[in-house]
């Protein structure tokens, strides 16, 4: 009985130690594990000015403008509280759309303009057939009017 | 005291304690720890698991790839969900099973516990690998990238693969099986913390990976015609996993019990 109790205690204390240390480590690394910053965090000045970082949010409806004859695109990333204007030259992912999520890596210039070197599309956890999506959009419109 | 007397003395000491609440528990526990019993049970279960899994996976794949409607945003590329989600879920389940079995083997010195853990490890590693690969294939057309270093969900899933491989590598480093069982069990238990971290990573940190779709039981954010094939695939993959584990477990039992009389009898019965 005693050796078995001892082994049980050993496994239990190992597990407890791991849980506690993982919890502390994850708390300490919380900021570093953030994959992107939101426009509000950028506006609050929580973002390094010299270093490249990732900006995440939604592409503001009606904000996408393509420069004629080049791959340069400008759009506005918003979290519906703050907005950051972004420019990017390159091929956009297929899912890049107005009203959809986006994660852009780049630098912020002093004027508050974000120059992106890479743009990734972020989609949400909702899946539905096109007809349902249309119905949802119609419903939203009807509610809005 | 003669032998019979000693046995009676032992049974009269243990019986009143155990027979009060759960008279069948010691029998139950003994059976599940008994290699010949589990070997024969696996023999009976294996064909059922294998065939039902094959049917469910074939039906679920057809329903998911042909019958389910395309996604409004991702079109047909969302259909990889029918492989990606079951694989990712089973990778994590396999780890929990491995850690729990190894802990039981460690605490109660039940060899079968370690045998189950060893059986689950390479299969869990394979499903985790499959989840990482299908995730990359899915990520390219939707996110625009196969892999993002720094995304918490992706990183911890990669760590899960390394934990499986580390468990197997650690075992391989010992010549003595008992020692390999005991030491690797501790690694298995330590690594189990990674499983809840993977699950909650998309809620705790901002990630490129989207949040949970179907584990929100009250309102899954997927329509029924898309969800039903996914649930069929999850059940099919789980049965397939059980089938694979039982196959390997039988091999483990044969290897560990190679000198046992019951096994020699079984072999002569079957080769006759």
């Amino acid at each position: 009985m005693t050796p078995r109790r001892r082994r049980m205690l050993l496994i239990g204390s190992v597990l407890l130690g791991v849980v506690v240390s993982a919890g502390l480590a994850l708390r300490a690394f919380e900021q570093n594990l953030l994959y992107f910053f939101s426009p509000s965090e950028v506006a609050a000045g929580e973002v390094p000015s010299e270093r490249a970082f990732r900006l995440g949010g939604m592409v503001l409806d009606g904000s996408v403008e393509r420069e004629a004859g080049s791959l340069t695109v400008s759009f506005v990333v918003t979290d519906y509280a703050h907005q950051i204007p972004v420019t990017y030259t390159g091929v956009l992912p297929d899912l890049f759309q107005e009203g959809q999520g986006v994660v852009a890596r780049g630098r912020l210039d002093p004027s508050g303009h974000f120059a992106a070197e890479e743009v990734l599309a972020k989609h949400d956890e909702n899946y539905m057939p096109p007809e349902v999506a249309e119905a949802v959009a119609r419903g939203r419109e009807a509610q809005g009017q | 005291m003669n032998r019979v007397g000693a046995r009676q003395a032992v049974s009269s000491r243990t019986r009143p304690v155990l027979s009060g609440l759960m008279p069948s528990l010691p029998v139950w526990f003994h059976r599940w720890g008994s290699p010949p019993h589990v070997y024969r049970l696996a023999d009976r279960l294996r064909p059922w698991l294998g065939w039902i899994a094959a049917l469910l996976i074939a039906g679920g794949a057809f329903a998911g790839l042909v019958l389910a409607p395309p996604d409004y945003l991702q079109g047909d590329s969302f259909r990889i969900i029918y492989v990606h989600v079951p694989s990712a879920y089973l990778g994590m389940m396999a780890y929990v099973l491995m850690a729990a079995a190894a802990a039981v083997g460690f605490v109660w010195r039940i060899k079968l516990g370690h045998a189950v853990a060893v059986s689950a490890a390479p299969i869990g590693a394979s499903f985790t690998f499959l989840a990482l690969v299908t995730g990359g294939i899915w990520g390219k057309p939707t996110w625009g990238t196969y892999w993002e270093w720094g995304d918490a969900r992706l990183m911890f899933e990669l760590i899960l693969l390394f934990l499986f491989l580390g468990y197997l590598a650690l075992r391989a480093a010992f010549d003595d099986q008992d020692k390999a069982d005991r030491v690797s069990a501790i690694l298995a238990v330590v690594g189990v913390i990674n499983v809840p971290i993977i699950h909650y990573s998309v809620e705790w940190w901002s990630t490129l990976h989207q949040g949970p779709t179907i584990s929100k039981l009250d309102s899954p954010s997927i329509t029924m015609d898309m969800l039903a094939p996914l649930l069929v695939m999850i059940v099919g993959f789980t049965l397939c996993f059980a089938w694979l584990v039982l196959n390997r477990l039988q091999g483990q039992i044969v290897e560990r019990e190679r000198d046992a009389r019951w096994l020699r009898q079984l072999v002569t019965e079957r080769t006759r």
Side-chain angles (χ1 to χ4, degrees), chain A residues 92-109:
Chain A
L92 291 163
D94 289 352
L95 252 59
F96 179 88
Q97 274 179 32
E98 290 180 355
Q100 284 293 330
V102 73
V103 177
R105 186 168 53 82
R107 285 163 200 275
L108 197 66
D109 65 23

Side-chain angles (χ1 to χ4, degrees), chain A residues 117-133:
Chain A
E117 294 152 17
E118 180 192 41
V119 172
L120 300 177
K122 181 172 159 57
H123 63 85
D124 60 16
E125 69 278 17
N126 297 306
Y127 303 91
M128 54 186 133
E131 309 86 70
V132 176

Side-chain angles (χ1 to χ4, degrees), chain B residues 118-152:
Chain B
V118 180
S119 306
I123 301 167
S126 308
F127 277 115
T128 305
F129 182 73
L130 195 61
L132 287 167
V133 170
T134 53
I137 295 171
W138 196 0
K140 189 62 186 171
T142 52
W143 299 339
T145 180
Y146 289 109
W147 181 263
E148 273 297 288
W149 294 106
D151 181 283

Side-chain angles (χ1 to χ4, degrees), chain B residues 28-44:
Chain B
W28 186 86
F29 208 77
H30 181 74
R31 264 206 197 151
W32 282 99
S34 141
H37 175 78
V38 171
Y39 188 93
R40 292 200 183 90
L41 189 74
D43 258 349
R44 282 207 300 277

Side-chain angles (χ1 to χ4, degrees), chain B residues 188-212:
Chain B
V189 170
V190 166
V192 84
I193 183 73
N194 191 34
V195 173
I197 294 178
I198 292 176
H199 182 79
Y200 289 107
S201 57
V202 288
E203 292 175 16
W204 290 343
W205 301 290
S206 66
T207 54
L208 188 58
H209 196 288
Q210 70 283 3

Side-chain angles (χ1 to χ4, degrees), chain A residues 5-29:
Chain A
R5 274 261 171 84
R6 211 178 52 222
R7 292 195 294 268
M8 219 184 267
L9 209 69
L10 176 68
I11 284 284
S13 50
V14 162
L15 197 59
L16 190 76
V18 168
V19 169
V20 168
S21 48
L24 290 173
L26 293 179
R27 270 181 77 92
F29 286 130

Side-chain angles (χ1 to χ4, degrees), chain A residues 52-113:
Chain A
F53 67 95
R54 292 192 187 86
L55 169 71
M58 304 302 255
V59 180
L60 189 69
D61 276 327
S63 74
V64 177
E65 281 170 23
R66 282 167 213 272
E67 209 173 90
S70 80
L71 285 172
T72 302
V73 185
S74 68
F75 52 92
V76 174
V77 171
T78 177
D79 57 0
Y80 303 112
H82 290 88
Q83 300 185 346
I84 306 282
V86 178
T87 51
Y88 172 66
T89 303
V91 180
L92 291 163
D94 289 352
L95 252 59
F96 179 88
Q97 274 179 32
E98 290 180 355
Q100 284 293 330
V102 73
V103 177
R105 186 168 53 82
R107 285 163 200 275
L108 197 66
D109 65 23
S111 64
H113 201 95

